[in-house]
Amino acid sequence: MNGLMGKILRVNLTEGTISEEEIPESIAKMFLGGGSLATKYLYDEVPAGVDPLGPENELIFMTGPLTGTPCPSAGRYSVVAKSPLTGTWAQANSGGFWAPAFKSTGYDGVIFEGISPKPVYLVCEDGKAELRDASHLWGLKTPETTETIQKELGDKFKVACIGPAGEKLVKIACVMNDIHRAAGRCGLGAVMGSKNLKAIAAWGTQKPKLADPEKFREVSKKQYDLIRDSMLKVGLETHGTNLLLDMVNVRGGLPTRNWQTGSFPNEERINGMALTENVLKDRVACFACPIACGRVSKIKTGKWAGKEGEGPEFESVVLLGSSTDVGDLNAITMANFLCNEYGIDTISAGSIIAFAMECYEKGILTKEDTGGLEIKFGDADMLVELTEKIGKREGIGDLLSEGTKRVAEKLGKGSEVFAMHVKGLELPAYDSRAVKITGLGYAVASRGGDHMTGYIQGPTFIDTPFLVVENSKIDDVYTPKPKDTKVLKDLEDALTMFDITGTCKFMGLMLDAKEWVDLISSVTGWEFGIEDFRKTGERAVNLSRAFNMRDGFSRADDTLPKRLTEEPMPEGPAKGQVIDQLDMLLDHYYEERGWDKKTGKPTPEKLKELGLDNVVQDLWK
Amino acid sequence: MNGLMGKILRVNLTEGTISEEEIPESIAKMFLGGGSLATKYLYDEVPAGVDPLGPENELIFMTGPLTGTPCPSAGRYSVVAKSPLTGTWAQANSGGFWAPAFKSTGYDGVIFEGISPKPVYLVCEDGKAELRDASHLWGLKTPETTETIQKELGDKFKVACIGPAGEKLVKIACVMNDIHRAAGRCGLGAVMGSKNLKAIAAWGTQKPKLADPEKFREVSKKQYDLIRDSMLKVGLETHGTNLLLDMVNVRGGLPTRNWQTGSFPNEERINGMALTENVLKDRVACFACPIACGRVSKIKTGKWAGKEGEGPEFESVVLLGSSTDVGDLNAITMANFLCNEYGIDTISAGSIIAFAMECYEKGILTKEDTGGLEIKFGDADMLVELTEKIGKREGIGDLLSEGTKRVAEKLGKGSEVFAMHVKGLELPAYDSRAVKITGLGYAVASRGGDHMTGYIQGPTFIDTPFLVVENSKIDDVYTPKPKDTKVLKDLEDALTMFDITGTCKFMGLMLDAKEWVDLISSVTGWEFGIEDFRKTGERAVNLSRAFNMRDGFSRADDTLPKRLTEEPMPEGPAKGQVIDQLDMLLDHYYEERGWDKKTGKPTPEKLKELGLDNVVQDLWK
């Protein structure tokens, strides 16, 4: 098979056995690879009702048909499992260099089943794979884990692993790769920890076969040129993703003090320019990426001076920073470093801390609960301390490591109104009261309160249309129209293709669908048109939705925190706004999607249209 | 009159007299202000055949109805005269702080007539104006001139002046203001020098009256927010205009070795990132501008270490740098500083030097001509030396200071093929073989080879559509379509409105026409709709065209250097391209414009439609 290596590994951790499986071509053609192919396995093999941290859950790593090829940004993989944070289908995605290294072992992905009786790690080397004892790695942070393995196997091995948080089943634990890169969301590091799996080290010499290498080179070359011609590339390279902060703040949608307002007075102390001037040490790129939005940072002053690492990204700056009312970039950067070292999601970590601060402010959380700590908004040292406590499940961190939803359920007293999550996943760095259609995106995403499925923040908050769909224009950010729901659907279908192919969604802002279709065709040798591109994305979205529906989720779960639907934004450009039409938007969105308006399930007709006939009886029996 | 102060000064330099004139409201409504209003005076008062450096030429400084108001970028003025470099109508435009200071004296502009018997400068202070002796200023460079005047009058006075180049009638001399800002193109500094006028110092307390201050504030506020939400703002603030260099280079359209090729191998030594990392000292903004694309620079290493000034802009980097094959950013920056100090246009200066280098390479210019100098491509010291010699009219600089066209006419031997000008104005930093429609822009601009009239480079080279027109999309940069000529026309009409209102054309990329119409209405109190916006721009374009036609220009002058029309681009993405359809494009452009295809004159019908009835008999008698 071209593009794909055509084989996956299946590792039964309970038994300690490893087998090899071919990917049937019919399955490859329908699901292509990456998050979509992994979801196909998960759907077929993990039934409803499974405990996410039990042996029946699977943890699936999958690269895409473009991963490891020299086209722009082709260094990504997806991790898929049922989430311990949300109980939904979950996918996390990451760049760096691990994914091309894994694919070069000769496998597109690996499925982990069961639970190992003792800590192990998987070594994949050029067509072979074995489980090794990881007792000596257990307890180590991400950098030490990676360095220890590389010392054992050689630097050429790339490592994906969990930190101490994953081992301790922190519900917001990540899978980390290349030390600093995170498959961050939904707590999949805890699934890995629950399986006693510490790491996957990979190295190989095999390359995906390209059906038409000449066309591939030609399309690729053109893409690199188009990207270098893009203003967004310049911005992202210069300031990293944090260049977005000014744009979100100016719309009054920058989550501040746990979303109590949308304008952060200290934004100039934490924006892209501030990061570039104060902590940036070097700009780094993922595999084959011409953008280089990665930041190597070093804290230069104060108590953490000399500390180095990667980050912070825009999302991290906002959730660790403005959301906790901390305008100290050194503290934000330090908290980010700790998230990477312990292996926890920066978005969720910052959001939980901000939530705890508001609970403390309102007397819902007291010194008795916190072990004497005063958890106040704006306290930079407390931000850093709580981040570490979550990573270690220490003191109050033990409670907080369960995620906002569970903390709110435990504390009660009205705290659920300002518990900023959807389906248990903490919301990212854009307050939907400032661009209402983004609220629909949070409400319907299969993995919970997520912005990356359709990233409708692109054409709205950051005013940059996506070229990969035909029209991503939103006319009025405060008055969403029925037709805007189609824009969201189209974006979700199109951007899912980046998770599938193993590339970066930023490319969807810079390159149109024709470019991607040309690339996929030249790699696979299949006749793959724009319609196939759209349908393959749509199929993946529907299958993840079906996973949730089969497991008891329904329209009632497609909702938003009351702070967004009932508390008017108190100031700024979005002053007075609430999301008051979510039901209307859901109706229109479901209609666009071919989903049943009452239950939220994909209709039998839609499922059959997408070739998901086997799903019909699961949902409609 | 709202917005405008309603009065101009008229200074007869021959007599040494100053008078005040009201601007008739009917004229103000038709021409609004800035370059357009100045052109109306020039057209009516400077007949065909006048010597640009003689007493009959006029030099007109004019602000616009938005100049000095607190809306984004409202700090600009235009200088208008017949050009000694091109013999055409000419306008140069500049930002900074001088224009608001001048307007605050109570006048919208000033017309200079005649020639003063001895050096003088004009002092405008709050409703008064007087000519003062400038003997002590004559010979001083821009910084010394400015500082001397400010020592005499106080720092609050803002100064526009010429440097030694303007005094010596260097044909590419600028008017400089605020020391570092240039009304750069077409040699209007030589017109000022020919009149023995060294400077205009201005300060006052008067403010333009706003018809609807509340609406003005509301629209303005919204505009600031929209601009802060723009990726272009982030890029321009971070790297200055030089952020464009990568984008132009990647299309293979970066003038290199006097346009012998379009790809500069050392581009990473001179691009936006290089400038930011190596010479940037501070970022500065013009009056009321939220972008701050201005650069305060300091040379840190080498023989010019410690030297400070402003710049370089993108155009300057290219024409002084890649065009001369100099990849040394310190030398480029130093040459730029010298241009500012002597008061010469960086684009023309760099272009002439590159032309001389190619002449020397080809043996057309020899050591005998150069006084022993070896004028070779890539020689950084020679770049700096020749820049100074042009500023001083010293040695070979005396010849070069006449501009590319006259140098080529003098040297002959085929050099006119690669004399990169249109109508005598040296071309800016975009090789039209890489985006052919930009060649039409150069060919038809009233002031000669100019990119700022319609800046169709925006939607093409830098891939950023203009919001101020309805559609600025160009489908295929190598195969221009008839409909692309309408895009150019629409852009020219729309962007001329920024010269007219006293604002910056970058705003046209970030804000739509409705924004500007709202602003103009709220300032003037007139019912000013989108159609008025378009027509006012179109009227100004046609009047400047009519000035040229009346003076003997014709379709034959709307042409391009043979290098662009006959020499295929030798390498890079635009390899093999020449501009081979200029005549076709001219036909369609004239049709869009309502200009006669044979002569290039605006037709009587078009002139009448625009209310320029008086022009009909001048052109069609």
Side-chain angles (χ1 to χ4, degrees), chain A residues 229 232 238-239 251 461, chain B residues 229 231 238-239 251 283 461:
Chain A
D229 194 25
L232 186 57
T238 304
H239 297 309
R251 286 180 178 268
F461 272 104
Chain B
D229 193 26
M231 195 69 67
T238 304
H239 296 309
R251 286 179 179 269
R283 299 174 171 97
F461 273 104

Side-chain angles (χ1 to χ4, degrees), chain B residues 176-232:
Chain B
M176 302 294 301
N177 59 275
D178 302 293
I179 298 180
H180 308 284
R181 295 266 148 191
R185 307 232 66 195
C186 298
L188 301 187
V191 177
M192 193 156 160
S194 74
K195 296 192 175 306
N196 272 324
L197 177 66
K198 181 66 177 175
I200 309 170
W203 172 76
T205 58
Q206 301 186 43
K207 284 187 183 164
K209 212 180 133 209
L210 308 179
D212 185 345
E214 199 166 323
K215 185 175 169 205
F216 175 85
R217 267 193 301 274
E218 180 194 311
V219 178
S220 254
K221 165 74 170 63
K222 185 176 158 210
Q223 294 190 338
Y224 280 111
D225 284 348
L226 284 167
I227 293 162
R228 288 202 191 92
D229 193 26
S230 155
M231 195 69 67
L232 186 58

Side-chain angles (χ1 to χ4, degrees), chain A residues 6 26 34 51 61 99 139 166 178 198 241 260 354 374 397 431 445 449 461 556 573 593:
Chain A
S26 60
D51 174 4
F61 291 69
D178 301 293
K198 180 67 176 174
T241 54
Q260 291 186 60
E374 294 193 47
D431 190 316
F461 272 104
R593 277 248 166 259

